[in-house]
Amino acid sequence: MGLFDYSNAADSVEPLQEITFLADLSSEDWARVLKIVKSRVFRAGDDLIRAGDKDDSFYILTSGEVEVTIGDKVLATIPEGSVFGEISFFDGALRSATIRAKSKGSAVRVTRDDLDTLAAWEPEIARKMLFDLGRVLAMRLRWTTRLAAS
Amino acid sequence: MSDIIKKPFPSYLDMPAQLPSNFWWSFRIATFAVMLVIMWLVATNPASGFALFWKVLIPSLPLLFALAPGIWRQICPMALVNQIPRTFGFSKELTLPVRFKNLAYFISVLTFFFLVSLRHVYFNKEPAALLVLVFGALALAFIGGVFYKGRSGWCGTFCPLAPIQKAYGHAPVVTIRNGYCPTCVGCQKNCYDFNPRAAFLSDLADKDPWYAGHKKFFVAGLPGFAIGFFTAQDLAQTSLVTYYLYLAGWIITTLGIYMAARIFISVTDFRAAAISAMSALVIFYWYTGAGIVNTLGGLAGVQAPDWVLMLPFFTAIVVGVRVIFLGMSAEADFRALDSGKAEPRVGVKIDIVRRNAGAEDLVSERKSGRSFAADPTRTLLDGIESAGLTLDFGCRMGMCGADPIAIVEGMESLSPPSDDELATLRRLGLEGRARMACVCKATGGGVTIDLGMNPNDLPEPPPPENQRDLGVETGVQKVVIIGNGTAGMAVADEVRRHSASCKIDVVARESHQFYNRMAIGRLLYGRTGLEDLYLMSPEWFEKKSVDVWLNTQAVAIDRDGKQVKLGTGESLAYDKLVLAMGSRAIVPPAEGTQLPGCFVLREAADAQIIRAWRQQHACERAVVLGGGVLGIEAADALRRLNVKTTIIQRAERLMNKELDEKGSAILRKYLEGLGIKVITGASVAKVFGNARVEQVELSNGDLLDAEIYIACAGVKANSELAAAAGLEVKRGVIVDAAMRTSDPDIFAAGDVAELSGAVSGLWAVGTAQAAVAAATLFGKDASYSPPSTLVSLKMDGIDVKGFGSLEGGDGIEEIFDANEPENEHRRLFISDGRIVGAVFVGPPGTGQDVGQVIQSRANLSGIIERLRNKDWAALGSV
Ligand SMILES: Cc1cc2nc3c(=O)[nH]c(=O)nc-3n(C[C@H](O)[C@H](O)[C@H](O)COP(=O)(O)OP(=O)(O)OC[C@H]3O[C@@H](n4cnc5c(N)ncnc54)[C@H](O)[C@@H]3O)c2cc1C
Ligand code: SF4
Ligand code: FES
């Protein structure tokens, strides 16, 4: 499970389960990003994403807690600090689940247009962002593969 | 731990250091000193030494282990000596062989049971024995540190206190970061210092039954050991063998209970272990609690009341229950992870992101139920977009009327409207009920808007009383307007305000009601239809009884008969006629521009045709002639339609009329970053193709492949009709400041009009001239004063504002920051406290404030010092 992944230790075997998105971005870098992408606030019960919506954006939950629901079923809870929604960001397909706020909070929403804009202003940050999103996808893919295998 | 993502099992590397390392070093040394003092007491004054050691110090540890084990891991004297070689760099840093890693726990458990049991035999009463024990342990810890790396020589392995720390502290109430390992060298298995919440769980779940078994044995036997230890007969009265048999009996008893519980009520290993460990904790304080209190009381010279004697015991119960619950939640997380079900988590450095994201008060949107931050530096339109909602907009300057929003609540928490916005609201008949989202900002909370509501449905303010009817007074009863653009429709609106009775006819060549011409680019790339660009609701025309003749051309003006002849053969009689025919795009002469695939972008129909063409012929490349606002916006629209576009600009830089060199350069770099190519200092010489456009040849000889060619190279007034009617016409229809043409009954406004010395070709100019024309035609004295002629690029992702003249001179002060970032450019020219020229180019938000200041023509004297210090935010406070 990677709980004892002593980074440079010889006996660590499992892959990392947790990624810090854009870990090496400084506060100033983030300030620049947030000039271009928009931050969104919500109240408990608001839908951030609705199943069936077409929306090519991903989110960074900056405060509060949200849950993933399909119909009345709650599938998972997403805690503060998480990155989610990146699949539709890439393929632009309809959202498959609704993300509903459990508490009031805020999220940064990054659309594909935002990434284009970011790439024009801050190519280096945009490149990192895209690469990290790829990493996120890869990790989640590995996870599903493993689930399917087990 | 607020600035890390909430991982279920954060390792110490994920935790911030709560306290500086100096603090911990002082604390460690202090603890070490206290220990030495107690040992000195044991040697010199055994009674109080033993009391302090066995009745206070040692009995306090279990609670500390359960509450905040990390504190002890930081300050333990044995850890201190163990880590000295590592800290001072003389440790051999050997790796503990795997066999020992697996066995260490077992060894430490046996040592623990054995040493504790010997308390009754030696350590409770023989000062020498206790001193040997303590200093022996310190020596071993030190030797371990000299040879083995990390904390594997003692703290996490052989230390007899390690098992008990792991068991009591398996789900710490308070987590303190490991302070000894600057980097982790992975020195031991399931390291408790590495991941306190996961260590014990991982131990119990280990695949090696022998390894996991040691842990179970220890916790299961612990309560029994405690009972046995505290209830054993005095050794004076029994033999050593009986004593050990008695202890073993108790250990086996609770071990049995543990096994039975596992078998019969199928409680998980972890829960059974947690309950077992916490029972041991409670049992421990049942026997030692009163002793602690009494010893402390004795030292302080007070007699504690009975209930205080029970305090440690009750505290142990509360802490025990708390730890069991924490443990259960850790177990749930652990199982989720273990089963592979817990989705891998992705997080950000939340504090940093949040610090930069800001905002507290909310604006609610009723239809969607969403809300966004009330931010005095961002417009409602920005907020609406940030909430993932859409609203069609046009000029983004409060002038076109594209984005009125119904304010249901909280009008008072909005920024006051500028003159431009007020004029727009007035034209839309929405004063006091709506605001233009593109310029209005929420300065406080409590605002509710409703995007689903037509602002016209909000209660209307009562009409002004004693309204005069200038039409009746002056005998002007028939007004005909040619053209239904902004100039024409503003005339219609103003005429109706002056006269309720006057008949108003508008002749319109296009087949659409008044729409937002500035936003037709959106028809090119967006899936939305023209409906979204309409600027007036159908009810408006009815309510104002304005007759619009759509799809109808005015073909001649019969000035003598005061009639306008229509292409349909009909004619319209007028008392007063207003010409608002606007202008059309020029296609600079070049061979081949008559080929299909050559376009202009002036009307809604143009945009629709280009979009259809792009699809019909799967066009991939385009050339746009013209590097002004229109050309750039057209290129951006094509880009969004996934067409690779090149802009050809005759001048040496983009938007050369409005921007200076640096401004143009930033803009160019941005466009190129988006994939739009820019060629300057060139023009189009020739357009080729078989049946349609295939290539474009530039004046410099370059050949570009392109299936679409759009000329955005300026406009020409639609003044032919006027010229044919004998009105004075040069570039446009000549008017005076009252918007009169050379015929006293005919007026002109907007792009078609030419007023000497005045800027034309802008939306706001048309609207302002219309008001003057409407007043003059009723005989009122009115004179045109130009509105702000701020030019702003309507493109997402970049702010480009240009205004006035960029030349200094007498009495003109120039302000700019020589050290500004490469990506941003701001230059202001101020005369008498007012902005007379400006360039603002940069990422979104760069020019918003300056745009509003220019539009409001505010006086900047109050903030001029701040501006001189390049405090551009000052512009937002005007
Ligand atoms: C893509 C684009 C972006 C623009 N962006 C901006 C901007 O950001 N800021 C800004 O200030 N300005 C901008 N403009 C310019 C602005 O749109 C014009 O200045 C404004 O529309 C002029 O208004 P008008 O009423 O004078 O003429 P128009 O809007 O041109 O309207 C004239 C109408 O009269 C009709 N007409 C002409 N002849 C006849 C006839 N014989 N019979 C019947 N009807 C006739 C025309 O078909 C047309 O519908 C932009 C223009 C375009 C095309
Ligand atoms: S495993 Fe890492 S954290 Fe644990 S004691 Fe060794 S070096 Fe320190
Ligand atoms: S009035 Fe807001 S976009 Fe034009």
Side-chain angles (χ1 to χ4, degrees), chain B residues 159-223:
Chain B
C159 170
L161 285 186
I164 193 109
Q165 291 177 46
K166 261 194 183 180
Y168 285 166
H170 65 262
V173 179
V174 178
T175 309
I176 306 285
R177 188 182 190 275
N178 168 9
Y180 272 122
C181 306
T183 55
C184 174
V185 294
C187 66
Q188 43 176 307
K189 181 163 170 172
N190 296 350
C191 170
Y192 185 69
D193 296 301
F194 185 79
N195 197 330
R197 193 170 182 241
F200 192 59
L201 277 157
S202 306
D203 276 350
L204 287 187
D206 200 87
K207 292 194 192 81
D208 178 358
W210 173 246
Y211 178 86
H214 302 158
K215 278 77 187 176
K216 295 179 202 166
F217 164 69
F218 176 69
V219 279
L222 197 58

Coordinates of all heavy atoms in Angstrom, one line a residue, chain B residues 159-223:
Chain B
C159 N 14.4 -1.5 21.9 CA 14.0 -0.8 23.1 C 12.7 -1.5 23.7 O 11.7 -1.6 23.0 CB 13.6 0.7 22.7 SG 12.8 1.5 24.1
P160 N 12.8 -1.8 24.9 CA 11.7 -2.5 25.6 C 10.4 -1.7 25.7 O 9.4 -2.2 25.9 CB 12.2 -2.9 26.9 CG 13.7 -2.6 26.9 CD 14.0 -1.7 25.9
L161 N 10.6 -0.4 25.6 CA 9.4 0.5 25.7 C 8.7 0.6 24.3 O 7.6 1.1 24.2 CB 9.8 1.9 26.2 CG 10.1 1.9 27.7 CD1 10.3 3.4 28.1 CD2 9.0 1.3 28.5
A162 N 9.4 0.2 23.2 CA 8.8 0.4 21.9 C 7.5 -0.4 21.7 O 6.5 0.2 21.2 CB 9.8 0.0 20.8
P163 N 7.4 -1.7 22.1 CA 6.1 -2.4 21.9 C 5.0 -1.6 22.6 O 3.9 -1.5 22.0 CB 6.3 -3.7 22.5 CG 7.8 -3.9 22.5 CD 8.4 -2.5 22.7
I164 N 5.2 -1.2 23.8 CA 4.1 -0.6 24.5 C 3.7 0.8 23.9 O 2.6 1.1 23.9 CB 4.5 -0.5 26.0 CG1 3.3 -0.2 26.9 CG2 5.5 0.6 26.3 CD1 2.9 -1.3 27.7
Q165 N 4.7 1.5 23.4 CA 4.4 2.7 22.7 C 3.5 2.5 21.5 O 2.5 3.2 21.2 CB 5.7 3.5 22.3 CG 6.4 4.0 23.5 CD 7.7 4.7 23.1 OE1 7.7 5.4 22.2 NE2 8.8 4.3 23.8
K166 N 3.9 1.5 20.7 CA 3.1 1.1 19.5 C 1.7 0.7 19.9 O 0.8 1.0 19.2 CB 3.8 0.0 18.7 CG 4.7 0.4 17.6 CD 5.0 -0.8 16.7 CE 5.9 -0.3 15.6 NZ 6.3 -1.5 14.7
A167 N 1.6 0.0 21.0 CA 0.3 -0.6 21.3 C -0.6 0.5 21.9 O -1.7 0.7 21.4 CB 0.4 -1.7 22.3
Y168 N -0.1 1.3 22.8 CA -1.0 2.3 23.4 C -1.2 3.5 22.4 O -2.2 4.1 22.3 CB -0.3 2.9 24.7 CG -0.4 2.0 25.9 CD1 0.4 2.3 27.0 CD2 -1.3 1.0 25.9 CE1 0.3 1.5 28.1 CE2 -1.4 0.2 27.0 CZ -0.6 0.4 28.2 OH -0.7 -0.4 29.2
G169 N -0.2 3.7 21.6 CA -0.2 4.8 20.7 C -0.6 4.4 19.3 O -0.2 5.1 18.3
H170 N -1.4 3.3 19.1 CA -1.6 2.8 17.8 C -2.5 3.8 17.0 O -2.5 3.7 15.8 CB -2.3 1.4 17.8 CG -3.6 1.4 18.4 ND1 -3.8 1.0 19.7 CD2 -4.8 1.7 17.9 CE1 -5.1 1.1 20.0 NE2 -5.8 1.5 18.9
A171 N -3.2 4.7 17.7 CA -4.0 5.7 16.9 C -3.9 7.0 17.7 O -4.7 7.4 18.5 CB -5.4 5.3 16.8
P172 N -2.8 7.7 17.6 CA -2.5 8.8 18.4 C -3.6 9.9 18.4 O -4.1 10.2 17.3 CB -1.2 9.4 17.8 CG -0.6 8.4 16.9 CD -1.8 7.5 16.5
V173 N -3.9 10.3 19.6 CA -4.9 11.4 19.7 C -4.3 12.7 19.1 O -4.9 13.4 18.3 CB -5.4 11.7 21.1 CG1 -6.4 12.8 21.2 CG2 -5.9 10.4 21.7
V174 N -3.0 12.9 19.4 CA -2.3 14.0 18.9 C -1.0 13.5 18.2 O -0.3 12.7 18.8 CB -1.9 15.0 20.0 CG1 -1.0 16.2 19.4 CG2 -3.1 15.5 20.7
T175 N -0.8 13.9 17.0 CA 0.4 13.3 16.3 C 1.5 14.4 16.3 O 1.3 15.5 16.0 CB 0.0 13.0 14.8 OG1 -1.2 12.2 14.8 CG2 1.1 12.3 14.1
I176 N 2.6 13.9 16.8 CA 3.8 14.8 16.8 C 4.8 14.2 15.8 O 5.0 13.0 15.7 CB 4.5 14.9 18.2 CG1 3.5 15.3 19.2 CG2 5.7 15.8 18.1 CD1 3.1 16.7 19.3
R177 N 5.3 15.1 15.0 CA 6.2 14.7 13.9 C 7.5 14.1 14.5 O 8.1 14.6 15.5 CB 6.5 15.9 13.1 CG 7.3 15.6 11.8 CD 7.5 16.9 11.1 NE 8.1 16.7 9.8 CZ 9.4 16.5 9.5 NH1 10.2 16.5 10.5 NH2 9.7 16.3 8.2
N178 N 8.0 13.1 13.8 CA 9.3 12.5 14.1 C 10.4 13.6 13.9 O 10.5 14.2 12.9 CB 9.6 11.3 13.2 CG 11.0 10.8 13.2 OD1 11.8 11.2 14.0 ND2 11.3 9.9 12.3
G179 N 11.2 13.8 15.0 CA 12.1 15.0 14.9 C 13.5 14.5 14.7 O 14.4 15.3 14.7
Y180 N 13.8 13.2 14.6 CA 15.1 12.8 14.6 C 15.7 12.4 13.2 O 16.9 12.4 13.0 CB 15.3 11.5 15.5 CG 15.6 11.9 16.9 CD1 14.8 11.5 18.0 CD2 16.7 12.7 17.2 CE1 15.1 11.8 19.3 CE2 17.0 13.0 18.5 CZ 16.2 12.6 19.6 OH 16.5 12.9 20.8
C181 N 14.8 12.1 12.3 CA 15.2 11.6 11.0 C 15.2 12.8 9.9 O 14.1 13.0 9.3 CB 14.4 10.5 10.5 SG 14.4 9.2 11.8
P182 N 16.3 13.4 9.7 CA 16.3 14.5 8.7 C 15.8 14.0 7.3 O 15.1 14.6 6.6 CB 17.7 15.0 8.7 CG 18.5 14.2 9.5 CD 17.6 13.2 10.3
T183 N 16.4 12.8 7.0 CA 15.9 12.1 5.8 C 15.6 10.7 6.3 O 16.2 10.2 7.3 CB 16.9 12.0 4.7 OG1 18.1 11.5 5.2 CG2 17.2 13.4 4.1
C184 N 14.7 10.0 5.7 CA 14.4 8.7 6.1 C 15.4 7.7 5.4 O 15.5 7.8 4.1 CB 13.0 8.3 5.8 SG 12.6 6.6 6.1
V185 N 16.0 6.9 6.1 CA 16.9 5.9 5.5 C 16.3 4.5 5.4 O 17.0 3.5 5.1 CB 18.3 5.9 6.2 CG1 19.0 7.2 6.1 CG2 18.1 5.5 7.7
G186 N 15.0 4.5 5.8 CA 14.3 3.2 5.7 C 14.9 2.1 6.5 O 15.2 1.0 6.1
C187 N 15.2 2.4 7.8 CA 16.0 1.5 8.6 C 15.3 0.4 9.2 O 15.9 -0.6 9.7 CB 16.8 2.3 9.7 SG 15.7 3.0 10.9
Q188 N 14.0 0.5 9.2 CA 13.2 -0.6 9.9 C 11.9 -0.9 9.3 O 11.4 -0.1 8.5 CB 13.1 -0.3 11.4 CG 12.7 1.1 11.6 CD 12.4 1.4 13.0 OE1 11.6 0.7 13.7 NE2 13.0 2.5 13.6
K189 N 11.3 -2.0 9.6 CA 10.1 -2.4 9.0 C 8.9 -1.7 9.7 O 8.9 -1.6 11.0 CB 9.9 -3.9 9.2 CG 8.7 -4.5 8.5 CD 8.8 -6.0 8.3 CE 7.5 -6.6 8.0 NZ 7.6 -8.0 7.6
N190 N 7.9 -1.3 9.0 CA 6.7 -0.6 9.6 C 7.1 0.4 10.6 O 6.6 0.3 11.8 CB 5.8 -1.7 10.2 CG 5.2 -2.6 9.1 OD1 5.4 -2.3 7.9 ND2 4.5 -3.6 9.5
C191 N 8.0 1.3 10.3 CA 8.5 2.2 11.3 C 7.4 3.1 11.9 O 6.7 3.7 11.2 CB 9.6 3.1 10.6 SG 10.1 4.4 11.7
Y192 N 7.4 3.1 13.2 CA 6.4 3.8 13.9 C 6.7 5.3 13.8 O 5.8 6.2 13.8 CB 6.4 3.4 15.4 CG 5.3 4.1 16.2 CD1 4.0 3.8 16.0 CD2 5.7 5.0 17.2 CE1 3.0 4.4 16.8 CE2 4.7 5.6 18.0 CZ 3.4 5.3 17.7 OH 2.4 5.9 18.5
D193 N 8.0 5.7 13.7 CA 8.3 7.1 13.6 C 8.0 7.6 12.2 O 7.9 8.8 12.0 CB 9.8 7.3 13.9 CG 10.1 6.9 15.3 OD1 9.5 7.5 16.2 OD2 10.9 6.0 15.6
F194 N 7.9 6.7 11.3 CA 7.7 7.1 9.9 C 6.2 7.4 9.7 O 5.8 8.4 9.1 CB 8.1 6.0 8.9 CG 8.0 6.4 7.5 CD1 9.0 7.2 6.9 CD2 7.0 6.0 6.7 CE1 8.9 7.6 5.6 CE2 6.9 6.3 5.4 CZ 7.8 7.1 4.8
N195 N 5.4 6.4 10.1 CA 3.9 6.6 9.9 C 3.2 6.0 11.1 O 2.8 4.9 11.2 CB 3.6 5.8 8.7 CG 2.2 6.2 8.1 OD1 1.3 6.6 8.9 ND2 2.0 6.1 6.8
P196 N 3.0 6.9 12.1 CA 2.5 6.5 13.4 C 1.1 5.8 13.3 O 0.7 4.9 14.0 CB 2.4 7.7 14.3 CG 2.8 8.9 13.4 CD 3.3 8.3 12.1
R197 N 0.3 6.3 12.4 CA -1.1 5.8 12.4 C -1.2 4.5 11.7 O -2.1 3.7 11.9 CB -2.0 6.8 11.6 CG -3.5 6.6 11.7 CD -4.3 7.8 11.2 NE -5.7 7.6 11.4 CZ -6.6 7.5 10.4 NH1 -6.2 7.6 9.1 NH2 -7.9 7.3 10.6
A198 N -0.2 4.2 10.9 CA -0.3 2.9 10.1 C 0.6 1.8 10.7 O 0.4 0.6 10.3 CB 0.2 3.2 8.7
A199 N 1.5 2.1 11.6 CA 2.6 1.2 11.9 C 1.9 -0.1 12.6 O 2.2 -1.2 12.1 CB 3.6 1.8 12.9
F200 N 1.1 0.1 13.6 CA 0.6 -1.0 14.3 C -0.4 -1.8 13.4 O -0.3 -3.1 13.4 CB -0.1 -0.5 15.6 CG -0.5 -1.6 16.5 CD1 0.5 -2.4 17.1 CD2 -1.8 -1.8 16.9 CE1 0.2 -3.4 18.0 CE2 -2.1 -2.8 17.9 CZ -1.1 -3.6 18.4
L201 N -1.2 -1.1 12.6 CA -2.1 -1.8 11.7 C -1.3 -2.7 10.7 O -1.7 -3.8 10.5 CB -2.9 -0.7 10.9 CG -4.1 -0.1 11.6 CD1 -4.4 1.2 11.0 CD2 -5.3 -1.1 11.4
S202 N -0.2 -2.1 10.2 CA 0.6 -2.8 9.3 C 1.2 -4.1 9.9 O 1.3 -5.1 9.3 CB 1.7 -2.0 8.6 OG 1.1 -0.8 8.1
D203 N 1.6 -3.9 11.2 CA 2.2 -5.0 11.9 C 1.2 -6.1 12.0 O 1.5 -7.3 11.7 CB 2.6 -4.6 13.3 CG 4.0 -3.9 13.3 OD1 4.7 -3.9 12.3 OD2 4.4 -3.3 14.3
L204 N 0.0 -5.8 12.4 CA -1.0 -6.9 12.7 C -1.4 -7.5 11.3 O -1.7 -8.7 11.3 CB -2.2 -6.3 13.3 CG -2.1 -5.9 14.8 CD1 -3.4 -5.6 15.4 CD2 -1.5 -7.1 15.6
A205 N -1.3 -6.7 10.3 CA -1.8 -7.3 9.0 C -0.6 -7.9 8.2 O -0.8 -8.3 7.1 CB -2.4 -6.1 8.2
D206 N 0.5 -8.0 8.8 CA 1.7 -8.5 8.1 C 1.4 -9.9 7.6 O 0.8 -10.7 8.2 CB 2.9 -8.5 8.9 CG 4.2 -8.5 8.1 OD1 4.6 -7.4 7.7 OD2 4.7 -9.6 7.8
K207 N 2.0 -10.2 6.4 CA 1.7 -11.5 5.8 C 2.5 -12.6 6.6 O 2.1 -13.8 6.5 CB 2.2 -11.5 4.3 CG 1.3 -10.6 3.5 CD 1.6 -10.9 2.0 CE 0.9 -9.8 1.1 NZ 1.7 -8.6 1.1
D208 N 3.5 -12.2 7.2 CA 4.3 -13.2 8.0 C 3.6 -13.5 9.4 O 3.6 -12.6 10.2 CB 5.7 -12.7 8.2 CG 6.6 -13.6 9.1 OD1 6.0 -14.6 9.5 OD2 7.7 -13.3 9.3
P209 N 3.0 -14.6 9.5 CA 2.1 -14.9 10.8 C 3.0 -14.8 12.0 O 2.5 -14.4 13.1 CB 1.6 -16.2 10.6 CG 2.3 -16.9 9.5 CD 3.0 -15.8 8.7
W210 N 4.2 -15.1 11.9 CA 5.2 -15.1 13.0 C 5.4 -13.7 13.5 O 5.2 -13.3 14.6 CB 6.5 -15.8 12.5 CG 7.7 -15.7 13.4 CD1 8.8 -15.1 13.2 CD2 7.8 -16.4 14.7 NE1 9.7 -15.3 14.2 CE2 9.1 -16.1 15.2 CE3 7.0 -17.2 15.4 CZ2 9.6 -16.6 16.4 CZ3 7.5 -17.7 16.6 CH2 8.8 -17.4 17.1
Y211 N 5.7 -12.8 12.5 CA 5.9 -11.4 12.8 C 4.7 -10.7 13.4 O 4.7 -10.1 14.4 CB 6.3 -10.7 11.4 CG 6.6 -9.2 11.6 CD1 7.8 -8.7 11.9 CD2 5.5 -8.3 11.3 CE1 8.0 -7.4 12.0 CE2 5.8 -7.0 11.3 CZ 7.0 -6.5 11.7 OH 7.2 -5.1 11.8
A212 N 3.5 -11.0 12.7 CA 2.3 -10.4 13.2 C 1.9 -11.0 14.6 O 1.4 -10.3 15.4 CB 1.1 -10.6 12.2
G213 N 2.2 -12.3 14.7 CA 1.9 -13.0 15.9 C 2.5 -12.4 17.2 O 1.9 -12.3 18.2
H214 N 3.8 -11.9 17.1 CA 4.4 -11.3 18.2 C 3.6 -10.2 18.8 O 3.5 -10.0 20.0 CB 5.8 -10.7 17.8 CG 6.8 -11.7 17.3 ND1 7.8 -11.4 16.5 CD2 6.8 -13.1 17.4 CE1 8.5 -12.5 16.1 NE2 7.8 -13.5 16.6
K215 N 3.1 -9.4 17.8 CA 2.4 -8.2 18.3 C 1.1 -8.6 19.0 O 0.7 -8.0 20.0 CB 2.0 -7.3 17.1 CG 3.1 -6.4 16.6 CD 4.2 -7.1 15.8 CE 5.4 -6.3 15.5 NZ 6.4 -7.0 14.9
K216 N 0.4 -9.6 18.4 CA -0.8 -10.0 19.0 C -0.6 -10.6 20.4 O -1.3 -10.3 21.3 CB -1.5 -11.1 18.1 CG -1.9 -10.5 16.8 CD -2.6 -11.6 15.9 CE -2.5 -11.2 14.4 NZ -2.8 -12.3 13.6
F217 N 0.5 -11.4 20.4 CA 0.8 -12.0 21.7 C 1.0 -10.9 22.8 O 0.5 -11.0 23.9 CB 2.1 -12.8 21.6 CG 2.8 -13.2 22.9 CD1 2.2 -14.1 23.8 CD2 4.0 -12.6 23.2 CE1 2.8 -14.4 25.0 CE2 4.6 -12.9 24.4 CZ 4.0 -13.8 25.3
F218 N 1.7 -9.9 22.4 CA 2.1 -8.8 23.3 C 0.8 -8.1 23.8 O 0.6 -8.0 25.0 CB 3.0 -7.8 22.7 CG 3.3 -6.7 23.6 CD1 4.0 -6.8 24.8 CD2 2.8 -5.4 23.3 CE1 4.3 -5.8 25.6 CE2 3.1 -4.3 24.1 CZ 3.8 -4.5 25.3
V219 N 0.0 -7.6 22.9 CA -1.2 -6.9 23.4 C -2.2 -7.7 24.1 O -2.8 -7.3 25.1 CB -1.9 -6.1 22.2 CG1 -1.3 -4.8 21.9 CG2 -2.1 -7.0 21.1
A220 N -2.3 -9.0 23.6 CA -3.3 -9.9 24.3 C -2.9 -10.2 25.7 O -3.7 -10.3 26.6 CB -3.5 -11.1 23.4
G221 N -1.6 -10.4 25.9 CA -1.1 -10.7 27.2 C -1.0 -9.5 28.1 O -0.9 -9.7 29.4
L222 N -1.0 -8.3 27.6 CA -0.7 -7.2 28.4 C -1.6 -6.9 29.5 O -1.2 -6.7 30.7 CB -0.6 -5.9 27.4 CG 0.1 -4.7 28.0 CD1 1.5 -5.0 28.4 CD2 0.0 -3.6 26.9
P223 N -3.0 -7.0 29.3 CA -3.9 -6.8 30.5 C -3.6 -7.8 31.6 O -3.6 -7.4 32.7 CB -5.3 -6.9 29.9 CG -5.1 -6.9 28.4 CD -3.7 -7.3 28.1

